[in-house]
Amino acid sequence: MRITPKTPEVRVPRLVGLMAVDARETAEARGVLLAAPDRPDFHRTVVDYVVRQFPQPGAEVPRGAVVTVWFDLGDAEGGAGVREPRPPRPPSGGQRRELDLPGDPFVVLR
């Protein structure tokens, strides 16, 4: 635990990418509090990773200010998506792609 001097303003630490337990320890060491609107059981959350925070890292806030963190990207912000094949599939490569279409290789032009 890092003890910071008792200044009225502190800088918000970078919490994105940290596990919940590490984010809580980092915030406490820097003199800010954490809130997680998508996790009502935030005080027991351990291995979920922070994906977003507000205010941004480096912002100066009063000591004891609340930094909001999110652990889930939600429906509107992307994520891994559905993992199933979707048509059309890309063309196959290799020798098959390089071959000419079947038929007479010597076409007579008139």
Side-chain angles (χ1 to χ4, degrees), residues 2-86:
R2 188 175 132 198
I3 299 174
T4 58
K6 298 294 182 185
T7 58
E9 298 283 321
V10 295
R11 290 201 183 270
V12 175
R14 178 173 175 77
L15 303 171
V16 174
L18 296 179
M19 288 193 303
V21 66
D22 296 332
R24 284 193 300 269
E25 290 175 2
T26 302
E28 182 181 337
R30 294 290 182 95
V32 294
L33 303 173
L34 288 186
D38 63 339
R39 292 288 194 271
D41 59 342
F42 173 62
H43 62 283
R44 291 183 297 194
T45 304
V46 177
V47 296
D48 290 345
Y49 287 88
V50 176
V51 296
R52 193 173 69 189
Q53 76 178 68
F54 183 81
Q56 297 298 319
E60 286 192 12
V61 295
R63 178 173 296 282
V66 176
V67 176
T68 306
V69 293
W70 289 267
F71 293 96
D72 188 10
L73 289 174
D75 295 335
E77 295 185 36
V82 177
R83 300 278 189 216
E84 65 182 54
R86 298 281 184 168

Side-chain angles (χ1 to χ4, degrees), residues 76-100:
E77 295 185 36
V82 177
R83 300 278 189 216
E84 65 182 54
R86 298 281 184 168
R89 292 183 178 214
S92 59
Q95 291 180 351
R96 174 177 263 173
R97 187 171 183 177
E98 297 298 323
L99 295 176
D100 292 330

